[in-house]
Amino acid sequence: MGKYVVRRLLQMIPVLIGATFLIFAMVFALPGDPTDGKCGERPCSAEYVAQYRKDHHLDDPLLVQYGKYVTNLAQGDFGTNYFNNTVSSELLQRYPNTVKLASVAILFEIVIGIGVGVLAGTRKGGIVDTAVMLATLIFISIPIIVLGPMAQIIFGIKLGWFKPTVSSGAPLQELLLPGLVLATLSVAYVARLTRTNLVENLRADYARTAIAKGLTHRRAIGVHTLRNSLIPVVTFIGADFGALLGGAIVTERIFNIQGVGSMIFTGIANRDGMSVVGAVTMLVLVFLIMNLLVDLLYGLLDPRISHD
């Protein structure tokens, strides 16, 4: 197990370098001048622009800029954004809000998605199964950019069950509605994935043999088939946690959550390359670590899988 973890951590290094280089190159290839709007309605003076570009190394070749960035990144320095604030301090301030939002969404995925999937899988072909498949198809078809404002209007403004927008501290009770909105698509996928795998495993020889030998249907599901059915579900949820951390941009904008997604959106709008690269680099790190944790969980769910 230890050798496997070390090997995977070493494999992350070239992946991280390649991902950060692509992100760095694409962000700094965006059209526009980062000094636009820095001096109000009037254009900035040539001296200011020259000093600005010198301070942020914007006149250096791409490889030189990236080399300086990677050197600083290896020392834990994510750089300074175009407003003279350290990117690391911005991340420390915003990342907890995004992590809380993603955690709430993942909790909904696990509880609702797996629960509904098991309910449908154990009643294959019945009314509950048909209703679940139809409802999940509907939710898959509705994008968050539509679902978010609808939830705000219905549950936040008309019914008053939740606050329409989230305050600066992002308390957990205010993240329930945006967390549910963010998780809706994934809940539908988890429910369908759980249902499909559970139905398939219930038809397997080992499940029929266990029931034929006297094991109750409920115990056969809880001890054997559900455990095997959760392997692809855990894969999806683990990968989705990293995706939620980076894909919450729309949800954070709708509910006014000051998180990493909002930071990325603002950075792109202001041509603030360092903020965007720093935030996305952190997301890549989280995504790689989550993939490692998912692989390690395989051994707990299926003893046949070995990491030696």
Side-chain angles (χ1 to χ4, degrees), residues 42-64:
R42 289 182 294 183
C44 297
S45 63
E47 293 80 6
Y48 175 84
V49 173
Q51 186 63 41
Y52 186 93
R53 298 186 69 83
K54 179 181 178 182
D55 292 340
H56 295 282
H57 311 290
L58 297 178
D59 292 326
D60 293 336
L62 176 63
L63 291 177
V64 175

Side-chain angles (χ1 to χ4, degrees), residues 17-300:
I17 292 175
T20 53
F21 178 74
L22 288 175
I23 296 164
F24 195 91
M26 288 188 291
V27 167
F28 285 95
L30 291 174
D33 192 333
T35 61
D36 291 342
K38 291 290 189 298
C39 302
E41 297 181 357
R42 289 182 294 183
C44 297
S45 63
E47 293 80 6
Y48 175 84
V49 173
Q51 186 63 41
Y52 186 93
R53 298 186 69 83
K54 179 181 178 182
D55 292 340
H56 295 282
H57 311 290
L58 297 178
D59 292 326
D60 293 336
L62 176 63
L63 291 177
V64 175
Q65 293 185 53
Y66 179 71
K68 293 178 180 178
Y69 177 76
V70 171
T71 302
N72 293 331
L73 184 63
Q75 301 172 6
D77 183 6
F78 284 83
T80 303
N81 63 16
Y82 292 166
F83 299 96
N84 292 323
N85 298 321
T86 59
V87 176
S88 57
S89 64
E90 292 280 338
L91 288 172
L92 286 174
Q93 180 180 356
R94 293 172 175 267
Y95 219 89
N97 294 339
T98 299
V99 170
K100 286 192 290 185
L101 176 62
S103 299
V104 171
I106 286 293
L107 185 62
F108 280 125
E109 283 187 39
I110 295 172
V111 175
I112 300 177
I114 295 178
V116 170
V118 171
L119 193 64
T122 53
R123 292 164 174 78
K124 181 180 178 296
I127 297 177
V128 173
D129 184 29
T130 304
V132 168
M133 296 301 287
L134 180 61
T136 53
L137 184 61
I138 292 173
F139 284 121
I140 289 173
S141 305
I142 303 177
I144 290 180
I145 198 171
V146 174
L147 190 63
M150 285 176 55
Q152 268 185 323
I153 294 172
I154 296 174
F155 299 107
I157 297 175
K158 291 189 175 181
L159 297 178
W161 292 355
F162 304 95
K163 289 186 63 176
T165 57
V166 177
S167 55
S168 58
L172 285 175
Q173 64 269 20
E174 295 183 10
L175 291 175
L176 292 177
L177 183 60
L180 182 58
V181 169
L182 181 61
T184 299
L185 179 63
S186 297
V187 165
Y189 281 127
V190 168
R192 295 173 75 93
L193 190 61
T194 304
R195 181 258 182 200
T196 301
N197 283 280
L198 185 58
V199 169
E200 182 179 348
N201 279 289
L202 283 173
R203 292 200 299 258
D205 292 338
Y206 74 89
R208 292 201 299 264
T209 302
I211 295 174
K213 287 184 175 181
L215 199 66
T216 63
H217 192 70
R218 177 177 296 182
R219 184 166 176 79
I221 293 174
V223 176
H224 298 287
T225 55
L226 181 59
R227 185 174 180 178
N228 291 335
S229 301
L230 287 180
I231 293 177
V233 177
V234 168
T235 304
F236 177 85
I237 292 176
D240 196 46
F241 185 70
L244 290 176
L245 289 173
I249 297 176
V250 176
T251 305
E252 289 184 1
R253 293 293 296 177
I254 292 173
F255 291 93
N256 193 35
I257 301 172
Q258 300 303 310
V260 178
S262 177
M263 177 181 174
I264 294 174
F265 180 87
T266 305
I268 293 174
N270 294 328
R271 288 282 282 112
D272 187 357
M274 278 299 169
S275 291
V276 177
V277 173
V280 176
T281 298
M282 181 61 70
L283 296 178
V284 171
L285 275 171
V286 172
F287 195 82
L288 291 174
I289 292 172
M290 287 304 304
N291 279 335
L292 174 59
L293 292 177
V294 167
D295 288 345
L296 295 177
L297 281 174
Y298 285 165
L300 296 177

